[in-house]
Amino acid sequence: GVHVAEKEAKRDYQEVYNAIATKIRDEDEYDNYIGYGPVLVRLAWHSSGTFDRNDNSGGSFGGTYRFKKEMNDPSNKGLQNAFDFLRPIHEQFPWISSGDLYTLGGVTAVQEMMGPKIPWRSGRVDQPENTVPDNGRLPDASQGASYVRNLFDRLGFGDRETVALIGAHALGKTHYENSGYEGPWGPSPNVFTNDFFVNLLNAHWTLNTNKKGVKQWDNDQGHMMLPTDMALVKDPKYRKLVEEYAKDQDVFFRDFSKAFAKLLENNIKFPDQNKPHYFKTLDEQDL
Ligand code: HEM
Ligand SMILES: CC(=O)Cn1cnc2ccccc21
């Protein structure tokens, strides 16, 4: 059922944001100097994307990613890097819940990669191991548009929110050892832009079977797209939205911010007193 967040305690969440942001800035060598930003965004998404609106199960509230059943979900391969990155932050701030930490990590990463401000509320409460949702709720990249539409409908999202959210694939890269897909990163792996949409529309894409026997789309500049990425330009309704976001990064940022905040809060009811935090970036604080 829907979880009720606990009333916000007198805590300095900007301090936690700053610790995460400073660590992202310092540990820049990870993944061939892409850094930890993208994998932190993926952890926030995967810890929230288990939500099912049909029975109000899953979602970020209980911080259940910390348990091996969820951590070892094949869909979560590679996210241990984000978990290990956050461990010293959790030791420094033991009062923060796992669910709050995993979602705050994604918010910090988006903002420090020059993405939009993401409003964030605290109050998630760690739940026991017997509340871990089943594996298999996160999306399969080999599928087409109708699969994507159904999966995001289960998460409570329409077409506009779905296309905006997948725009996060402007960040980071795919890794053979995690998902069986591989591709050098896109034009801006650790700076948030609308490049994913521009790329989808402008490049010439060829469907190949890669070294792991997995089908993926490659272009002549060495970039790649997943089948579910390509579905966004094959489906006419999705394509309209891709064209809109490729033309206007501000509209993409506005829609991404709303949808990402909603994703991280799925299945949670927050007390009115828990106001959304709009965190300052390190640059805005001259740190
Ligand atoms: C149809 C929906 C989606 C599918 C099938 C999908 C699938 C994937 C796959 C296969 C990877 C590569 C993982 C690896 O090999 O390391 C990946 C990476 C990534 N995904 Fe998605 N994804 C989806 C939606 C999303 C959403 C909604 C977000 C965030 C809002 C997101 C954020 C990311 C990020 C940031 C990476 C790069 C991670 C890194 O560089 O380590 N994805 N995704
Ligand atoms: C930047 C780009 O389009 C490369 N790319 C395309 N699809 C992706 C999925 C996950 C991570 C990176 C991805």
Side-chain angles (χ1 to χ4, degrees), residues 230-262:
M230 206 49 80
L232 303 184
V233 285
K234 288 205 219 122
D235 176 279
K237 293 189 288 286
Y238 282 152
R239 188 186 183 93
K240 278 261 156 291
L241 292 158
V242 171
E243 289 166 352
E244 184 181 342
Y245 293 149
K247 255 201 298 289
D248 190 333
Q249 180 165 293
D250 293 342
V251 170
F252 164 50
F253 272 19
R254 181 201 65 194
D255 289 356
F256 181 85
S257 174
K258 270 196 327 231
F260 196 54
K262 177 177 166 182

PDB file of all heavy atoms in Angstrom, residues 230-262:
ATOM      1  N   MET A 230      15.177   3.504 -29.713  1.00  0.00           N
ATOM      2  CA  MET A 230      14.783   3.689 -31.120  1.00  0.00           C
ATOM      3  C   MET A 230      13.253   3.650 -31.258  1.00  0.00           C
ATOM      4  O   MET A 230      12.677   4.314 -32.119  1.00  0.00           O
ATOM      5  CB  MET A 230      15.433   2.604 -31.979  1.00  0.00           C
ATOM      6  CG  MET A 230      15.647   2.988 -33.422  1.00  0.00           C
ATOM      7  SD  MET A 230      16.434   4.580 -33.651  1.00  0.00           S
ATOM      8  CE  MET A 230      18.121   4.123 -33.347  1.00  0.00           C
ATOM      9  N   ALA A 231      12.606   2.941 -30.353  1.00  0.00           N
ATOM     10  CA  ALA A 231      11.129   2.883 -30.366  1.00  0.00           C
ATOM     11  C   ALA A 231      10.533   4.290 -30.259  1.00  0.00           C
ATOM     12  O   ALA A 231       9.439   4.556 -30.750  1.00  0.00           O
ATOM     13  CB  ALA A 231      10.640   2.011 -29.215  1.00  0.00           C
ATOM     14  N   LEU A 232      11.278   5.211 -29.652  1.00  0.00           N
ATOM     15  CA  LEU A 232      10.768   6.571 -29.442  1.00  0.00           C
ATOM     16  C   LEU A 232      10.684   7.364 -30.740  1.00  0.00           C
ATOM     17  O   LEU A 232       9.986   8.375 -30.805  1.00  0.00           O
ATOM     18  CB  LEU A 232      11.623   7.312 -28.406  1.00  0.00           C
ATOM     19  CG  LEU A 232      11.752   6.671 -27.033  1.00  0.00           C
ATOM     20  CD1 LEU A 232      12.557   7.575 -26.098  1.00  0.00           C
ATOM     21  CD2 LEU A 232      10.381   6.351 -26.429  1.00  0.00           C
ATOM     22  N   VAL A 233      11.416   6.936 -31.778  1.00  0.00           N
ATOM     23  CA  VAL A 233      11.275   7.627 -33.073  1.00  0.00           C
ATOM     24  C   VAL A 233      10.484   6.776 -34.058  1.00  0.00           C
ATOM     25  O   VAL A 233      10.064   7.256 -35.102  1.00  0.00           O
ATOM     26  CB  VAL A 233      12.637   8.033 -33.688  1.00  0.00           C
ATOM     27  CG1 VAL A 233      13.220   9.233 -32.965  1.00  0.00           C
ATOM     28  CG2 VAL A 233      13.616   6.880 -33.719  1.00  0.00           C
ATOM     29  N   LYS A 234      10.209   5.540 -33.701  1.00  0.00           N
ATOM     30  CA  LYS A 234       9.419   4.677 -34.599  1.00  0.00           C
ATOM     31  C   LYS A 234       7.922   4.859 -34.330  1.00  0.00           C
ATOM     32  O   LYS A 234       7.100   4.818 -35.229  1.00  0.00           O
ATOM     33  CB  LYS A 234       9.813   3.211 -34.391  1.00  0.00           C
ATOM     34  CG  LYS A 234      11.184   2.892 -34.959  1.00  0.00           C
ATOM     35  CD  LYS A 234      11.284   1.413 -35.299  1.00  0.00           C
ATOM     36  CE  LYS A 234      12.658   0.900 -34.926  1.00  0.00           C
ATOM     37  NZ  LYS A 234      12.661  -0.186 -33.986  1.00  0.00           N
ATOM     38  N   ASP A 235       7.580   5.096 -33.075  1.00  0.00           N
ATOM     39  CA  ASP A 235       6.181   5.304 -32.698  1.00  0.00           C
ATOM     40  C   ASP A 235       5.813   6.765 -32.973  1.00  0.00           C
ATOM     41  O   ASP A 235       6.481   7.669 -32.458  1.00  0.00           O
ATOM     42  CB  ASP A 235       6.020   4.977 -31.207  1.00  0.00           C
ATOM     43  CG  ASP A 235       4.604   5.254 -30.720  1.00  0.00           C
ATOM     44  OD1 ASP A 235       4.301   6.429 -30.443  1.00  0.00           O
ATOM     45  OD2 ASP A 235       3.813   4.302 -30.642  1.00  0.00           O
ATOM     46  N   PRO A 236       4.756   7.029 -33.785  1.00  0.00           N
ATOM     47  CA  PRO A 236       4.448   8.416 -34.176  1.00  0.00           C
ATOM     48  C   PRO A 236       4.150   9.353 -33.014  1.00  0.00           C
ATOM     49  O   PRO A 236       4.564  10.514 -33.011  1.00  0.00           O
ATOM     50  CB  PRO A 236       3.241   8.273 -35.101  1.00  0.00           C
ATOM     51  CG  PRO A 236       2.793   6.865 -35.021  1.00  0.00           C
ATOM     52  CD  PRO A 236       3.888   6.042 -34.441  1.00  0.00           C
ATOM     53  N   LYS A 237       3.470   8.834 -31.974  1.00  0.00           N
ATOM     54  CA  LYS A 237       3.140   9.700 -30.816  1.00  0.00           C
ATOM     55  C   LYS A 237       4.413  10.053 -30.046  1.00  0.00           C
ATOM     56  O   LYS A 237       4.649  11.211 -29.695  1.00  0.00           O
ATOM     57  CB  LYS A 237       2.121   8.996 -29.910  1.00  0.00           C
ATOM     58  CG  LYS A 237       0.751   8.826 -30.560  1.00  0.00           C
ATOM     59  CD  LYS A 237      -0.307   8.329 -29.586  1.00  0.00           C
ATOM     60  CE  LYS A 237      -0.098   6.867 -29.208  1.00  0.00           C
ATOM     61  NZ  LYS A 237      -0.448   5.901 -30.271  1.00  0.00           N
ATOM     62  N   TYR A 238       5.264   9.061 -29.804  1.00  0.00           N
ATOM     63  CA  TYR A 238       6.539   9.326 -29.118  1.00  0.00           C
ATOM     64  C   TYR A 238       7.402  10.251 -29.976  1.00  0.00           C
ATOM     65  O   TYR A 238       8.047  11.184 -29.473  1.00  0.00           O
ATOM     66  CB  TYR A 238       7.300   8.024 -28.861  1.00  0.00           C
ATOM     67  CG  TYR A 238       6.818   7.184 -27.696  1.00  0.00           C
ATOM     68  CD1 TYR A 238       7.000   5.799 -27.708  1.00  0.00           C
ATOM     69  CD2 TYR A 238       6.213   7.752 -26.575  1.00  0.00           C
ATOM     70  CE1 TYR A 238       6.589   5.001 -26.636  1.00  0.00           C
ATOM     71  CE2 TYR A 238       5.803   6.972 -25.502  1.00  0.00           C
ATOM     72  CZ  TYR A 238       5.995   5.597 -25.541  1.00  0.00           C
ATOM     73  OH  TYR A 238       5.594   4.803 -24.475  1.00  0.00           O
ATOM     74  N   ARG A 239       7.401  10.020 -31.322  1.00  0.00           N
ATOM     75  CA  ARG A 239       8.285  10.793 -32.198  1.00  0.00           C
ATOM     76  C   ARG A 239       8.014  12.293 -32.107  1.00  0.00           C
ATOM     77  O   ARG A 239       8.940  13.108 -32.083  1.00  0.00           O
ATOM     78  CB  ARG A 239       8.168  10.303 -33.647  1.00  0.00           C
ATOM     79  CG  ARG A 239       9.220  10.938 -34.565  1.00  0.00           C
ATOM     80  CD  ARG A 239       9.024  10.582 -36.031  1.00  0.00           C
ATOM     81  NE  ARG A 239      10.106  11.177 -36.818  1.00  0.00           N
ATOM     82  CZ  ARG A 239      11.242  10.528 -37.128  1.00  0.00           C
ATOM     83  NH1 ARG A 239      11.405   9.258 -36.749  1.00  0.00           N
ATOM     84  NH2 ARG A 239      12.206  11.140 -37.809  1.00  0.00           N
ATOM     85  N   LYS A 240       6.727  12.646 -32.012  1.00  0.00           N
ATOM     86  CA  LYS A 240       6.352  14.071 -31.897  1.00  0.00           C
ATOM     87  C   LYS A 240       7.051  14.697 -30.690  1.00  0.00           C
ATOM     88  O   LYS A 240       7.552  15.817 -30.726  1.00  0.00           O
ATOM     89  CB  LYS A 240       4.827  14.199 -31.705  1.00  0.00           C
ATOM     90  CG  LYS A 240       4.050  14.125 -33.020  1.00  0.00           C
ATOM     91  CD  LYS A 240       3.677  15.552 -33.500  1.00  0.00           C
ATOM     92  CE  LYS A 240       3.453  15.636 -34.977  1.00  0.00           C
ATOM     93  NZ  LYS A 240       4.713  15.452 -35.733  1.00  0.00           N
ATOM     94  N   LEU A 241       7.099  13.940 -29.595  1.00  0.00           N
ATOM     95  CA  LEU A 241       7.691  14.443 -28.351  1.00  0.00           C
ATOM     96  C   LEU A 241       9.211  14.520 -28.470  1.00  0.00           C
ATOM     97  O   LEU A 241       9.837  15.476 -28.004  1.00  0.00           O
ATOM     98  CB  LEU A 241       7.252  13.544 -27.188  1.00  0.00           C
ATOM     99  CG  LEU A 241       5.755  13.641 -26.874  1.00  0.00           C
ATOM    100  CD1 LEU A 241       5.252  12.402 -26.141  1.00  0.00           C
ATOM    101  CD2 LEU A 241       5.464  14.910 -26.086  1.00  0.00           C
ATOM    102  N   VAL A 242       9.809  13.518 -29.139  1.00  0.00           N
ATOM    103  CA  VAL A 242      11.267  13.548 -29.376  1.00  0.00           C
ATOM    104  C   VAL A 242      11.625  14.800 -30.177  1.00  0.00           C
ATOM    105  O   VAL A 242      12.586  15.521 -29.840  1.00  0.00           O
ATOM    106  CB  VAL A 242      11.729  12.272 -30.117  1.00  0.00           C
ATOM    107  CG1 VAL A 242      13.190  12.387 -30.551  1.00  0.00           C
ATOM    108  CG2 VAL A 242      11.550  11.020 -29.264  1.00  0.00           C
ATOM    109  N   GLU A 243      10.809  15.106 -31.190  1.00  0.00           N
ATOM    110  CA  GLU A 243      11.079  16.295 -32.014  1.00  0.00           C
ATOM    111  C   GLU A 243      10.954  17.583 -31.195  1.00  0.00           C
ATOM    112  O   GLU A 243      11.770  18.499 -31.304  1.00  0.00           O
ATOM    113  CB  GLU A 243      10.113  16.321 -33.219  1.00  0.00           C
ATOM    114  CG  GLU A 243      10.428  15.254 -34.255  1.00  0.00           C
ATOM    115  CD  GLU A 243       9.291  15.035 -35.266  1.00  0.00           C
ATOM    116  OE1 GLU A 243       8.198  15.611 -35.074  1.00  0.00           O
ATOM    117  OE2 GLU A 243       9.502  14.263 -36.225  1.00  0.00           O
ATOM    118  N   GLU A 244       9.964  17.606 -30.301  1.00  0.00           N
ATOM    119  CA  GLU A 244       9.765  18.792 -29.441  1.00  0.00           C
ATOM    120  C   GLU A 244      10.968  18.994 -28.521  1.00  0.00           C
ATOM    121  O   GLU A 244      11.491  20.102 -28.394  1.00  0.00           O
ATOM    122  CB  GLU A 244       8.480  18.611 -28.614  1.00  0.00           C
ATOM    123  CG  GLU A 244       8.117  19.810 -27.769  1.00  0.00           C
ATOM    124  CD  GLU A 244       6.848  19.600 -26.947  1.00  0.00           C
ATOM    125  OE1 GLU A 244       6.055  18.673 -27.270  1.00  0.00           O
ATOM    126  OE2 GLU A 244       6.654  20.359 -25.985  1.00  0.00           O
ATOM    127  N   TYR A 245      11.459  17.922 -27.920  1.00  0.00           N
ATOM    128  CA  TYR A 245      12.583  18.027 -26.978  1.00  0.00           C
ATOM    129  C   TYR A 245      13.902  18.279 -27.706  1.00  0.00           C
ATOM    130  O   TYR A 245      14.803  18.928 -27.174  1.00  0.00           O
ATOM    131  CB  TYR A 245      12.671  16.774 -26.112  1.00  0.00           C
ATOM    132  CG  TYR A 245      11.512  16.600 -25.144  1.00  0.00           C
ATOM    133  CD1 TYR A 245      11.072  15.327 -24.774  1.00  0.00           C
ATOM    134  CD2 TYR A 245      10.843  17.692 -24.606  1.00  0.00           C
ATOM    135  CE1 TYR A 245      10.015  15.153 -23.879  1.00  0.00           C
ATOM    136  CE2 TYR A 245       9.793  17.536 -23.721  1.00  0.00           C
ATOM    137  CZ  TYR A 245       9.384  16.266 -23.371  1.00  0.00           C
ATOM    138  OH  TYR A 245       8.335  16.090 -22.481  1.00  0.00           O
ATOM    139  N   ALA A 246      14.017  17.758 -28.932  1.00  0.00           N
ATOM    140  CA  ALA A 246      15.244  18.005 -29.708  1.00  0.00           C
ATOM    141  C   ALA A 246      15.338  19.487 -30.071  1.00  0.00           C
ATOM    142  O   ALA A 246      16.423  20.057 -30.147  1.00  0.00           O
ATOM    143  CB  ALA A 246      15.242  17.148 -30.971  1.00  0.00           C
ATOM    144  N   LYS A 247      14.166  20.127 -30.227  1.00  0.00           N
ATOM    145  CA  LYS A 247      14.121  21.547 -30.627  1.00  0.00           C
ATOM    146  C   LYS A 247      14.307  22.493 -29.440  1.00  0.00           C
ATOM    147  O   LYS A 247      14.854  23.584 -29.593  1.00  0.00           O
ATOM    148  CB  LYS A 247      12.759  21.842 -31.278  1.00  0.00           C
ATOM    149  CG  LYS A 247      12.787  21.997 -32.803  1.00  0.00           C
ATOM    150  CD  LYS A 247      11.580  22.763 -33.350  1.00  0.00           C
ATOM    151  CE  LYS A 247      10.255  22.056 -33.079  1.00  0.00           C
ATOM    152  NZ  LYS A 247      10.087  20.835 -33.902  1.00  0.00           N
ATOM    153  N   ASP A 248      13.882  22.038 -28.244  1.00  0.00           N
ATOM    154  CA  ASP A 248      13.854  22.985 -27.110  1.00  0.00           C
ATOM    155  C   ASP A 248      14.303  22.308 -25.812  1.00  0.00           C
ATOM    156  O   ASP A 248      13.529  21.608 -25.152  1.00  0.00           O
ATOM    157  CB  ASP A 248      12.434  23.544 -26.948  1.00  0.00           C
ATOM    158  CG  ASP A 248      12.401  24.695 -25.947  1.00  0.00           C
ATOM    159  OD1 ASP A 248      13.273  24.714 -25.048  1.00  0.00           O
ATOM    160  OD2 ASP A 248      11.527  25.557 -26.079  1.00  0.00           O
ATOM    161  N   GLN A 249      15.563  22.541 -25.451  1.00  0.00           N
ATOM    162  CA  GLN A 249      16.133  21.911 -24.245  1.00  0.00           C
ATOM    163  C   GLN A 249      15.437  22.398 -22.987  1.00  0.00           C
ATOM    164  O   GLN A 249      15.273  21.619 -22.029  1.00  0.00           O
ATOM    165  CB  GLN A 249      17.634  22.186 -24.154  1.00  0.00           C
ATOM    166  CG  GLN A 249      18.279  21.545 -22.925  1.00  0.00           C
ATOM    167  CD  GLN A 249      19.782  21.494 -22.991  1.00  0.00           C
ATOM    168  OE1 GLN A 249      20.338  20.782 -23.822  1.00  0.00           O
ATOM    169  NE2 GLN A 249      20.438  22.240 -22.119  1.00  0.00           N
ATOM    170  N   ASP A 250      14.944  23.642 -22.984  1.00  0.00           N
ATOM    171  CA  ASP A 250      14.275  24.169 -21.781  1.00  0.00           C
ATOM    172  C   ASP A 250      12.978  23.408 -21.504  1.00  0.00           C
ATOM    173  O   ASP A 250      12.655  23.100 -20.356  1.00  0.00           O
ATOM    174  CB  ASP A 250      13.982  25.666 -21.926  1.00  0.00           C
ATOM    175  CG  ASP A 250      15.265  26.487 -21.964  1.00  0.00           C
ATOM    176  OD1 ASP A 250      16.323  25.947 -21.533  1.00  0.00           O
ATOM    177  OD2 ASP A 250      15.226  27.633 -22.432  1.00  0.00           O
ATOM    178  N   VAL A 251      12.226  23.107 -22.589  1.00  0.00           N
ATOM    179  CA  VAL A 251      10.981  22.348 -22.404  1.00  0.00           C
ATOM    180  C   VAL A 251      11.302  20.941 -21.911  1.00  0.00           C
ATOM    181  O   VAL A 251      10.649  20.415 -21.016  1.00  0.00           O
ATOM    182  CB  VAL A 251      10.175  22.301 -23.722  1.00  0.00           C
ATOM    183  CG1 VAL A 251       9.011  21.328 -23.628  1.00  0.00           C
ATOM    184  CG2 VAL A 251       9.654  23.694 -24.070  1.00  0.00           C
ATOM    185  N   PHE A 252      12.367  20.366 -22.481  1.00  0.00           N
ATOM    186  CA  PHE A 252      12.801  19.028 -22.018  1.00  0.00           C
ATOM    187  C   PHE A 252      13.148  19.091 -20.528  1.00  0.00           C
ATOM    188  O   PHE A 252      12.677  18.281 -19.723  1.00  0.00           O
ATOM    189  CB  PHE A 252      13.994  18.536 -22.831  1.00  0.00           C
ATOM    190  CG  PHE A 252      14.745  17.379 -22.199  1.00  0.00           C
ATOM    191  CD1 PHE A 252      14.061  16.250 -21.751  1.00  0.00           C
ATOM    192  CD2 PHE A 252      16.123  17.410 -22.045  1.00  0.00           C
ATOM    193  CE1 PHE A 252      14.733  15.186 -21.157  1.00  0.00           C
ATOM    194  CE2 PHE A 252      16.804  16.351 -21.453  1.00  0.00           C
ATOM    195  CZ  PHE A 252      16.109  15.248 -21.000  1.00  0.00           C
ATOM    196  N   PHE A 253      13.942  20.091 -20.132  1.00  0.00           N
ATOM    197  CA  PHE A 253      14.353  20.208 -18.727  1.00  0.00           C
ATOM    198  C   PHE A 253      13.145  20.368 -17.804  1.00  0.00           C
ATOM    199  O   PHE A 253      13.059  19.726 -16.749  1.00  0.00           O
ATOM    200  CB  PHE A 253      15.309  21.383 -18.558  1.00  0.00           C
ATOM    201  CG  PHE A 253      16.778  21.041 -18.776  1.00  0.00           C
ATOM    202  CD1 PHE A 253      17.159  19.890 -19.459  1.00  0.00           C
ATOM    203  CD2 PHE A 253      17.784  21.873 -18.302  1.00  0.00           C
ATOM    204  CE1 PHE A 253      18.504  19.566 -19.658  1.00  0.00           C
ATOM    205  CE2 PHE A 253      19.134  21.579 -18.495  1.00  0.00           C
ATOM    206  CZ  PHE A 253      19.494  20.412 -19.173  1.00  0.00           C
ATOM    207  N   ARG A 254      12.165  21.186 -18.225  1.00  0.00           N
ATOM    208  CA  ARG A 254      10.972  21.423 -17.404  1.00  0.00           C
ATOM    209  C   ARG A 254      10.214  20.104 -17.202  1.00  0.00           C
ATOM    210  O   ARG A 254       9.869  19.722 -16.084  1.00  0.00           O
ATOM    211  CB  ARG A 254      10.065  22.447 -18.098  1.00  0.00           C
ATOM    212  CG  ARG A 254       8.805  22.809 -17.355  1.00  0.00           C
ATOM    213  CD  ARG A 254       7.769  23.386 -18.315  1.00  0.00           C
ATOM    214  NE  ARG A 254       7.341  22.370 -19.297  1.00  0.00           N
ATOM    215  CZ  ARG A 254       6.661  22.666 -20.413  1.00  0.00           C
ATOM    216  NH1 ARG A 254       6.379  23.921 -20.727  1.00  0.00           N
ATOM    217  NH2 ARG A 254       6.278  21.697 -21.242  1.00  0.00           N
ATOM    218  N   ASP A 255      10.023  19.375 -18.305  1.00  0.00           N
ATOM    219  CA  ASP A 255       9.261  18.126 -18.208  1.00  0.00           C
ATOM    220  C   ASP A 255      10.029  17.029 -17.480  1.00  0.00           C
ATOM    221  O   ASP A 255       9.442  16.239 -16.732  1.00  0.00           O
ATOM    222  CB  ASP A 255       8.859  17.630 -19.610  1.00  0.00           C
ATOM    223  CG  ASP A 255       7.793  18.502 -20.253  1.00  0.00           C
ATOM    224  OD1 ASP A 255       7.309  19.450 -19.580  1.00  0.00           O
ATOM    225  OD2 ASP A 255       7.449  18.269 -21.417  1.00  0.00           O
ATOM    226  N   PHE A 256      11.369  17.010 -17.690  1.00  0.00           N
ATOM    227  CA  PHE A 256      12.172  15.990 -17.001  1.00  0.00           C
ATOM    228  C   PHE A 256      12.114  16.210 -15.487  1.00  0.00           C
ATOM    229  O   PHE A 256      11.919  15.271 -14.711  1.00  0.00           O
ATOM    230  CB  PHE A 256      13.641  16.011 -17.463  1.00  0.00           C
ATOM    231  CG  PHE A 256      14.475  14.951 -16.770  1.00  0.00           C
ATOM    232  CD1 PHE A 256      14.519  13.657 -17.269  1.00  0.00           C
ATOM    233  CD2 PHE A 256      15.158  15.245 -15.595  1.00  0.00           C
ATOM    234  CE1 PHE A 256      15.250  12.663 -16.612  1.00  0.00           C
ATOM    235  CE2 PHE A 256      15.884  14.262 -14.933  1.00  0.00           C
ATOM    236  CZ  PHE A 256      15.927  12.974 -15.451  1.00  0.00           C
ATOM    237  N   SER A 257      12.262  17.463 -15.073  1.00  0.00           N
ATOM    238  CA  SER A 257      12.272  17.777 -13.643  1.00  0.00           C
ATOM    239  C   SER A 257      10.983  17.283 -12.969  1.00  0.00           C
ATOM    240  O   SER A 257      11.026  16.606 -11.936  1.00  0.00           O
ATOM    241  CB  SER A 257      12.426  19.283 -13.429  1.00  0.00           C
ATOM    242  OG  SER A 257      12.291  19.593 -12.054  1.00  0.00           O
ATOM    243  N   LYS A 258       9.835  17.572 -13.602  1.00  0.00           N
ATOM    244  CA  LYS A 258       8.543  17.161 -13.020  1.00  0.00           C
ATOM    245  C   LYS A 258       8.430  15.643 -12.966  1.00  0.00           C
ATOM    246  O   LYS A 258       8.055  15.053 -11.950  1.00  0.00           O
ATOM    247  CB  LYS A 258       7.391  17.734 -13.862  1.00  0.00           C
ATOM    248  CG  LYS A 258       6.942  19.111 -13.401  1.00  0.00           C
ATOM    249  CD  LYS A 258       5.582  19.578 -13.914  1.00  0.00           C
ATOM    250  CE  LYS A 258       5.187  19.115 -15.293  1.00  0.00           C
ATOM    251  NZ  LYS A 258       4.747  20.239 -16.156  1.00  0.00           N
ATOM    252  N   ALA A 259       8.813  14.988 -14.078  1.00  0.00           N
ATOM    253  CA  ALA A 259       8.636  13.529 -14.159  1.00  0.00           C
ATOM    254  C   ALA A 259       9.613  12.798 -13.239  1.00  0.00           C
ATOM    255  O   ALA A 259       9.247  11.809 -12.593  1.00  0.00           O
ATOM    256  CB  ALA A 259       8.824  13.069 -15.603  1.00  0.00           C
ATOM    257  N   PHE A 260      10.849  13.297 -13.128  1.00  0.00           N
ATOM    258  CA  PHE A 260      11.848  12.633 -12.277  1.00  0.00           C
ATOM    259  C   PHE A 260      11.454  12.770 -10.806  1.00  0.00           C
ATOM    260  O   PHE A 260      11.539  11.807 -10.034  1.00  0.00           O
ATOM    261  CB  PHE A 260      13.232  13.231 -12.543  1.00  0.00           C
ATOM    262  CG  PHE A 260      14.394  12.410 -12.026  1.00  0.00           C
ATOM    263  CD1 PHE A 260      14.550  11.068 -12.377  1.00  0.00           C
ATOM    264  CD2 PHE A 260      15.340  12.989 -11.186  1.00  0.00           C
ATOM    265  CE1 PHE A 260      15.629  10.320 -11.903  1.00  0.00           C
ATOM    266  CE2 PHE A 260      16.426  12.244 -10.710  1.00  0.00           C
ATOM    267  CZ  PHE A 260      16.563  10.914 -11.075  1.00  0.00           C
ATOM    268  N   ALA A 261      10.966  13.970 -10.429  1.00  0.00           N
ATOM    269  CA  ALA A 261      10.515  14.176  -9.045  1.00  0.00           C
ATOM    270  C   ALA A 261       9.357  13.225  -8.733  1.00  0.00           C
ATOM    271  O   ALA A 261       9.315  12.581  -7.681  1.00  0.00           O
ATOM    272  CB  ALA A 261      10.086  15.618  -8.836  1.00  0.00           C
ATOM    273  N   LYS A 262       8.435  13.096  -9.696  1.00  0.00           N
ATOM    274  CA  LYS A 262       7.281  12.196  -9.512  1.00  0.00           C
ATOM    275  C   LYS A 262       7.741  10.746  -9.395  1.00  0.00           C
ATOM    276  O   LYS A 262       7.295   9.994  -8.521  1.00  0.00           O
ATOM    277  CB  LYS A 262       6.326  12.371 -10.691  1.00  0.00           C
ATOM    278  CG  LYS A 262       5.107  11.459 -10.677  1.00  0.00           C
ATOM    279  CD  LYS A 262       4.189  11.768 -11.866  1.00  0.00           C
ATOM    280  CE  LYS A 262       3.141  10.683 -12.107  1.00  0.00           C
ATOM    281  NZ  LYS A 262       2.308  10.990 -13.298  1.00  0.00           N
TER     282      LYS A 262
END
